[in-house]
Amino acid sequence: MRVVIAEDQALLREGITALLREQDIDVVAQAEDGPGLLRIVAGHKPDLAIVDVRLPPTFTDEGVRAALEARARMPGLGVLILSQYVEPVYTAELLESGEGGIGYLLKERVGDVRAFVGAVQRVAAGGTALDREVVAELVRSRDPGGEDGALSALTPREREVLGLMAEGRTNTAIARALVVTPGAVAKHISNIFAKLDLPATDEDHRRVLAVLAFLRAG
């Protein structure tokens, strides 16, 4: 796996680089701003770009803008956004393409090495890794009584399962979180696929499609 990092804080940038290299993940280049990200993506053709939401010069949304541009220039590029705060609007913009390979984590999660590396691997492989607080905010932002298209057919428990899927959790981890059996989780996921009318193709691909439908409904 080849990774590039765009982060203006040198200490965090170097820390992430060292952490990933210890896990045998190849960090091929680093940048401090949006133009730098575009240059290293073009030059190194990475599998994944880890990008801070706020980059110089204005520290507003330069990182997301650069990530969107990089993804447009290199379809299939995984993008893992790091942020100090929960800002779900940026997740929605990244999801508009209808593709996977999207992650959004709070910077504080980097300290959980196992979870962070797992998120890196999932996003690079075309999956999703959304911070639990981002997912919670997306859920809170909806009117519980409103219509979300096909999502309105989901039961509260199915929505809960789908939210945990958005975090990138496995069936076993979802079962543990909800205190149910893995078999019950598999049944909920099967119902979700059916209600969202997702084709019977690769299971991982259907999980990504279900998550995208859930997130884009917000």
Side-chain angles (χ1 to χ4, degrees):
M1 184 197 310
R2 293 162 56 80
V3 176
V4 297
I5 300 172
E7 165 61 59
D8 65 292
Q9 296 181 36
L11 188 59
L12 179 57
R13 188 174 66 244
E14 293 298 335
I16 293 173
T17 298
L19 183 157
L20 294 179
R21 285 176 175 165
E22 287 178 359
Q23 303 297 317
D24 295 322
I25 294 173
D26 190 11
V27 179
V28 295
Q30 303 175 21
E32 299 179 2
D33 55 25
L37 172 65
L38 295 178
R39 283 194 299 272
I40 61 178
V41 166
H44 294 274
K45 302 291 190 269
D47 302 298
L48 174 73
I50 299 175
V51 186
D52 187 358
V53 165
R54 300 168 184 254
L55 293 174
T58 66
F59 296 97
T60 52
D61 62 354
E62 286 91 344
V64 171
R65 298 294 156 217
L68 288 168
E69 179 63 25
R71 199 166 160 95
R73 296 183 186 183
M74 185 180 167
L77 172 69
V79 174
L80 176 56
I81 296 293
L82 297 181
S83 178
Q84 195 74 35
Y85 311 101
V86 177
E87 300 169 292
V89 63
Y90 297 136
T91 307
E93 291 191 59
L94 288 166
L95 291 167
E96 284 186 2
S97 67
E99 300 173 356
I102 295 296
Y104 189 114
L105 298 179
L106 294 180
K107 288 185 176 181
E108 64 192 61
R109 309 297 185 209
V110 176
D112 185 342
V113 176
R114 183 176 178 182
F116 179 66
V117 171
V120 166
Q121 293 170 333
R122 282 197 307 278
V123 174
T128 59
L130 282 295
D131 195 283
R132 67 183 74 97
E133 291 191 25
V134 174
V135 174
E137 182 60 33
L138 285 166
V139 173
R140 281 196 299 268
S141 69
R142 300 196 185 98
D143 175 8
E147 291 296 324
D148 292 332
L151 291 180
S152 63
L154 301 185
T155 66
R157 176 47 65 95
E158 288 165 356
R159 282 177 176 253
E160 195 172 9
V161 169
L162 192 46
L164 292 169
M165 286 168 61
E167 294 176 21
R169 300 202 198 188
T170 63
N171 286 18
T172 301
I174 293 172
R176 192 180 307 119
L178 299 180
V179 196
V180 297
T181 67
V185 172
K187 184 175 180 179
H188 285 311
I189 292 175
S190 178
N191 289 340
I192 290 167
F193 290 159
K195 290 179 180 180
L196 297 184
D197 196 25
L198 295 176
T201 56
D202 176 75
E203 170 104 2
D204 288 340
H205 180 60
R206 287 208 289 175
R207 288 175 82 98
V208 171
L209 292 177
V211 167
L212 292 178
F214 170 71
L215 295 169
R216 294 171 78 185

